[in-house]
């Protein structure tokens, strides 16, 4: 089957083309222009260009069956209803918001323009009153709406009208989760990637049909929503998607974590997001979680930087306007030293006018690393 390129920045175009793609009849290329000779297996729905957390460009092949399995498992966990799209349609989370709504027989509502409090309220008002409401945010979007809800009843009412707001893309700071609970916002933390057709673990519990394993500290996933592989890269496909002797196919996530006896998943960070400070491995994800527990640093990002004395150190990057930066920095150093060790203490705190983000809404960590070096 030949791919049909579509502008992932045009959410309406993706929405209109998705039904045929979900039938496996009109596979879409999102985020790239396929070569004329490139073909995909029968039943392919979308191929999504993504760099994920590794920064390495990949083109993930997802079948209609995988997307449908994911949508059905989601509905079994949180219910059917109408969805509002507040994420880019070129990313798997955006595709799934559209697909879940369409498969539930409800036309998805598209947020118009930039993600603002006014745009969110308008989009929410456009949802049907007789259907359960759902949407999906990254943590930064949730924080923006919670900030607005402090002074605006219409934003608070819109937030609390959703049966569930899925939060994914990155770890959700505990303080942000608590703020949402105080307002009455019903959130569901999700974990997954393009390779798993989006979130496949909700609040630490895998969806129906999803199986988890921990191998040498790495989390692996199997289930009917796994991608077929990477377009044009059979070597990477064989490396990342591995089939056991019993025929079960597993996806190597590249994430460090643990799977409890009751099946609950706890992600501790990326296996490769580690620096060596003074000869000791330091997980930057772990440092960031500690830093974000401090009031005023909920949106901070922690990156690594070369250091003449220690080899590498962690650096906190914060958007301007957070408060007493010096006091927060000292508190962060003390808390990181107490919970992880003195070798993990951040060496500096950089304040920037605005945190750079990727189109997906995630922090642009590579840009932040360059900024810290400069």
């Amino acid at each position: 089957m030949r791919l049909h390129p579509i502008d992932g920045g045009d959410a309406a175009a993706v929405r209109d083309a998705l039904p045929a793609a979900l039938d496996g009849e009109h596979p879409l290329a999102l985020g790239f222009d396929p070569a004329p000779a490139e073909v995909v297996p029968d039943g392919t729905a979308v191929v999504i260009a993504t760099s994920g957390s590794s920064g390495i460009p990949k083109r993930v092949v997802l079948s209609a069956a995988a997307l449908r399995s994911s949508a059905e498992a989601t509905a079994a966990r949180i219910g059917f209803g109408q969805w509002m799209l507040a994420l880019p349609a070129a990313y798997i989370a955006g595709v799934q918001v559209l697909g879940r709504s369409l498969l539930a027989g409800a036309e998805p509502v598209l947020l118009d323009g930039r993600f603002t409090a006014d745009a969110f309220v308008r989009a929410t008002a456009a949802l049907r009153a007789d259907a359960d409401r759902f949407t999906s945010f990254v943590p930064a979007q949730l924080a923006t709406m919670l900030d607005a809800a402090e002074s605006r009843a219409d934003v608070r009412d819109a937030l609390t009208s959703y049966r569930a707001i899925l939060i994914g893309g990155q770890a959700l700071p505990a303080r942000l989760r608590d703020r949402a609970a105080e307002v009455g916002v019903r959130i569901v933390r999700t974990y997954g990637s393009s390779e798993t057709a989006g979130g496949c673990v909700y609040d630490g519990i895998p969806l129906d049909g999803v199986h988890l394993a921990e191998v040498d500290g790495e989390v692996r996933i199997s289930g009917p929503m796994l991608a077929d592989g990477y377009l044009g890269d059979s070597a990477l496909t064989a490396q990342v998607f591995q089939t056991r002797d019993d025929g079960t196919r597993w996806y190597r996530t590249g994430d460090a974590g643990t799977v409890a006896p009751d099946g609950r998943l706890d992600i501790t960070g990326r296996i490769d997001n580690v620096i060596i400070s003074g000869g000791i491995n330091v997980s930057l994800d772990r440092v960031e979680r500690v830093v974000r527990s401090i009031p005023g640093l909920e949106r901070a990002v922690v990156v690594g930087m070369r250091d003449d004395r220690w080899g590498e150190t962690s650096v906190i990057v914060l958007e301007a306007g957070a408060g007493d930066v010096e006091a927060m920095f000292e508190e962060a150093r003390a808390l990181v030293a107490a919970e992880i060790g003195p070798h993990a203490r951040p060496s500096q705190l950089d304040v920037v006018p605005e945190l750079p983000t990727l189109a997906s809404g995630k922090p642009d960590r590579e840009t932040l690393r360059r900024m810290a070096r400069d």
Side-chain angles (χ1 to χ4, degrees), residues 210-222:
V210 176
H211 300 281
L212 306 174
E214 176 192 341
V215 180
D216 297 329
E218 180 187 40
V219 174
R220 302 191 181 187
I221 299 173
S222 70

Side-chain angles (χ1 to χ4, degrees), residues 15 18 22 67 71 83 93-106 108:
R15 175 199 60 198
L18 199 54
L22 290 171
L67 291 177
W83 290 72
V95 169
Q96 284 290 49
V97 163
L98 297 174
R100 291 169 188 144
S101 204
L102 291 169
L103 291 171

